[in-house]
């Protein structure tokens, strides 16, 4: 019985590793010895027919996160000549969640930053501040409420079948385990910089089962920049100053992270 279980587990492991190499060989950098950060993927949440959450004043999340993402891209492009910055969307356009990860992989991204804004649930007291999320595979199925809000468009529009989910969970398990340490370090750099550079209070770093983080094979983080259901957060998130300060803080954290990542990986060559 135990032997059967061991054989079964080994087979699953073997299949997932084989699938890992078959399906993700496109994401291996051309020079696989070179592990520096060359491509940053910026993912502005929602867009088009998916407005995301709605603020007290009626503002849509999709229209807050896009200018923050564009400002972040501009800061990065100005700082680095040799860094490719790819946006999963650069206009008010609907992009499926699955497609966002595919874009990141096909562009050989080395870092994936998804930008969102939050909303409190009806039964909750007022909430304010930013949160950072890492992928927790165990929670992909669970779809707790906050996750459900960010994931809901996959349910409505993409009709994800269980085979896709199982396959991606296996692949992501291999990848995210490898990148979790980097994702965690990057998250705490973002947390430090946003606390220093904006008026938003930090609510912490959490793990959740966000679909958009599932299919990107690189260090990935999702930033919930603040609560559109809080009047002070909303006003700040809507303002040019607020959007600029958030973008600049994330930019600074990318700069620190890239410095550390590139240095460490150059030692390993
Ligand atoms: Zn969102």
């Amino acid at each position: 019985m135990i032997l059967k279980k061991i054989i079964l587990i080994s087979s699953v492991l073997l299949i997932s590793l084989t699938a890992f190499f078959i399906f993700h060989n496109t994401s291996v950098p051309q020079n696989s010895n070179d592990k520096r950060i060359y491509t940053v993927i910026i993912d502005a949440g929602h867009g088009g027919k998916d407005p995301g959450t709605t603020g007290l004043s009626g503002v849509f999340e999709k229209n807050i996160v896009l200018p923050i993402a564009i400002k972040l891209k501009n800061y990065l492009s100005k700082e680095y000549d040799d860094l490719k910055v790819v946006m999963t969307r650069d206009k008010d356009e609907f992009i499926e969640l699955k497609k966002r990860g595919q874009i990141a992989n096909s562009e050989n991204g080395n870092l994936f930053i998804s930008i969102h804004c939050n909303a409190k649930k009806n039964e909750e007291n007022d909430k304010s501040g930013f949160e950072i999320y890492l992928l927790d595979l165990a929670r992909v199925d669970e779809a707790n409420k906050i996750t459900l809000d960010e994931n809901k468009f996959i349910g409505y529009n993409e009709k994800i079948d269980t085979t896709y989910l199982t396959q991606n969970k296996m692949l992501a398990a291999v990848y995210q385990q490898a990148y979790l340490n980097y994702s965690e370090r990057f998250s705490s750099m973002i947390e430090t910089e946003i606390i220093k550079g904006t008026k938003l209070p930090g609510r912490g770093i959490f793990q959740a089962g966000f679909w958009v983080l599932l299919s990107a094979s690189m260090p990935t983080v999702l930033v919930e920049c603040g609560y559109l259901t809080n009047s002070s957060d909303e006003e700040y998130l809507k303002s040019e100053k607020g959007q600029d300060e958030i973008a600049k803080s994330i930019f600074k954290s990318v700069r620190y992270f890239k410095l550390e990542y590139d240095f460490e990986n150059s030692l390993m060559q």
Side-chain angles (χ1 to χ4, degrees):
M1 192 65 189
I2 292 170
L3 186 66
K4 270 190 182 172
K5 270 189 182 169
I6 292 172
I7 292 170
L8 187 69
I9 292 167
S10 311
S11 311
V12 169
L13 207 66
L14 188 68
I15 292 166
S16 55
L17 281 172
T18 311
F20 164 77
F21 286 111
I22 292 172
F23 289 100
H24 280 258
N25 59 355
T26 51
S27 68
V28 174
Q30 309 221 308
N31 175 0
S32 55
N33 288 325
D34 198 339
K35 302 271 194 272
R36 285 173 290 172
I37 291 178
Y38 283 113
T39 306
V40 174
I41 313 291
I42 304 173
D43 175 52
H46 312 278
K49 65 184 176 186
D50 171 12
T53 193
T54 307
L56 295 172
S57 69
V59 69
F60 292 139
E61 177 185 356
K62 66 173 184 175
N63 294 331
I64 301 276
V65 296
L66 182 60
I68 295 175
I70 291 171
K71 286 173 197 298
L72 173 59
K73 178 191 186 332
N74 292 341
Y75 276 120
L76 286 167
S77 304
K78 208 171 147 193
E79 177 79 7
Y80 300 101
D81 293 331
D82 57 349
L83 183 76
K84 188 163 128 193
V85 185
V86 177
M87 299 186 73
T88 54
R89 71 175 178 101
D90 57 7
K91 52 181 178 290
D92 186 16
E93 180 185 12
F94 178 73
I95 311 274
E96 293 182 344
L97 292 176
K98 183 172 67 177
K99 174 89 178 145
R100 295 169 190 251
Q102 287 168 350
I103 293 170
N105 292 335
S106 66
E107 294 283 353
N108 290 328
N110 309 112
L111 187 61
F112 184 92
I113 308 161
S114 190
I115 298 173
H116 288 256
C117 295
N118 224 333
K120 76 169 188 74
K121 294 164 216 157
N122 285 336
E123 65 274 22
E124 286 176 334
N125 292 328
D126 199 14
K127 280 176 155 181
S128 158
F130 73 93
E131 293 159 358
I132 301 167
Y133 286 86
L134 305 168
L135 178 66
D136 178 358
L137 286 165
R139 297 193 189 161
V140 171
D141 294 325
E142 184 186 296
N144 58 41
K145 275 205 171 161
I146 177 167
T147 308
L148 192 63
D149 284 342
E150 296 296 10
N151 285 338
K152 65 185 173 188
F153 263 75
I154 210 161
Y156 295 160
N157 297 291
E158 295 183 39
K159 295 194 182 79
I160 287 297
D161 59 54
T162 47
T163 316
Y164 174 83
L165 176 61
T166 310
Q167 185 192 72
N168 273 270
K169 279 186 76 174
M170 285 197 299
L171 295 171
V174 180
Y175 266 112
Q176 296 306 329
Q177 203 50 45
Y179 292 120
L180 187 62
N181 177 272
Y182 282 121
S183 302
E184 282 172 348
R185 281 158 60 185
F186 181 44
S187 297
S188 59
M189 288 175 186
I190 300 178
E191 185 179 47
T192 305
E193 291 308 314
I194 297 185
I195 288 173
K196 272 199 312 203
T198 76
K199 57 165 272 185
L200 296 163
R203 300 178 55 86
I205 299 169
F206 304 93
Q207 290 199 311
F210 289 119
W211 276 94
V212 74
L213 299 179
L214 183 65
S215 48
S217 314
M218 60 203 71
T220 54
V221 296
L222 185 146
V223 185
E224 293 277 5
C225 295
Y227 277 79
L228 288 175
T229 45
N230 172 273
S231 54
S232 162
D233 278 16
E234 188 198 29
E235 194 186 338
Y236 186 68
L237 288 162
K238 278 167 71 177
S239 71
E240 172 78 28
K241 182 176 185 286
Q243 293 170 2
D244 184 64
E245 287 176 354
I246 294 167
K248 194 167 194 172
S249 303
I250 301 175
F251 155 68
K252 284 183 179 172
S253 64
V254 174
R255 201 170 53 183
Y256 285 124
F257 181 71
K258 179 168 161 48
L259 202 65
E260 215 174 274
Y261 185 98
D262 289 357
F263 178 69
E264 280 177 23
N265 285 288
S266 70
L267 293 178
M268 282 190 245
Q269 280 178 40

